[in-house]
Amino acid sequence: MRIANLSGRLVLITPDGGAAVDVERASDGRFGADPQAVYEQWDAFVSWARTADSSAGEAFAEEDLGAPAPAPRQLLAIGLNYSEHAAESGFGVPDAPTVMFTKWASCLTGPVTEVVLPTGGHTDWEVELVAVIGRAARNVSEEDAWDHVAGLTVGQDLSERITQTAGPSPQFSLGKSLPGFGPMGPWLVTTDEFDDRDDLELGCSINGEQVQKGRTRDLIFSVPAMISKLSEKLPLLPGDVLFTGTPAGVGLGRTPQRFLAPGDELISHITGIGELRQRFVAAPGA
Ligand code: ZN
């Protein structure tokens, strides 16, 4: 099952991806239009959606999609979660998921956007698998952790590196939360849709040149491991968003370093989910 946020309304995407069914109308109001609110009723929603009539689907444009979880109470992101990316960043392999930060929710957008590059910044790309929580998780085991996931989507953890690493005790969040720096989508895919939810191919390209390619089987802390370990520390709430880290190939780790420039088009994909498309423009007056 795939759900999406179409112009701010919760929709079911038909299996061929070509049409959207408005959930509030199709459920006669049992489930509301707010895409974020559905996670509070996730089990009931899934039961209804499995038998919903999708014949009333209407065609839509991907440009009109928003983030499938646009207003999470918590957005947790992990750094250095693929060993080759830890190496290119100049770090060893962490033995605990300690490099945690947040992206503030105002940066979240849909899958197809134009992003203004901050003047004087070094804006970098990080394709990531993103998990959205469907059932509250507190002290859950790895074995049970997938049961707390509503579904998976594609994310870009866009990062302005100068801001990210500034100061005597760098705080990542500001440099990763500039306007438009959190594209997500194009939709949320439930985990039963994948042959192997623990081994998905992800990557991104700039102007057609592949810059990142990896597989989620190479995550140091897998999705269930992240959920289990984080839930020892704090509750994960329905609708929370987890950015799970990026594979090697970011601009910061290249020789010479490379960052996004006006006119660049970044396409990010995860096999079995879909793709994001970001076009970058200069700030006005830059
Ligand atoms: Zn990241």
Side-chain angles (χ1 to χ4, degrees), residues 80-104:
L80 310 180
N81 204 20
Y82 291 81
S83 55
E84 285 180 26
H85 173 62
E88 74 178 349
S89 303
F91 296 96
V93 173
D95 57 7
T98 47
V99 185
M100 297 300 307
F101 53 92
T102 189
K103 290 172 82 74
W104 294 316

Side-chain angles (χ1 to χ4, degrees), residues 24-37:
E24 185 180 43
R25 286 196 282 272
S27 70
D28 291 325
R30 182 175 168 203
F31 299 99
D34 178 0
Q36 188 67 43

Side-chain angles (χ1 to χ4, degrees), residues 46 112 203 236-237:
V46 169
V112 181
L236 299 176
L237 307 172

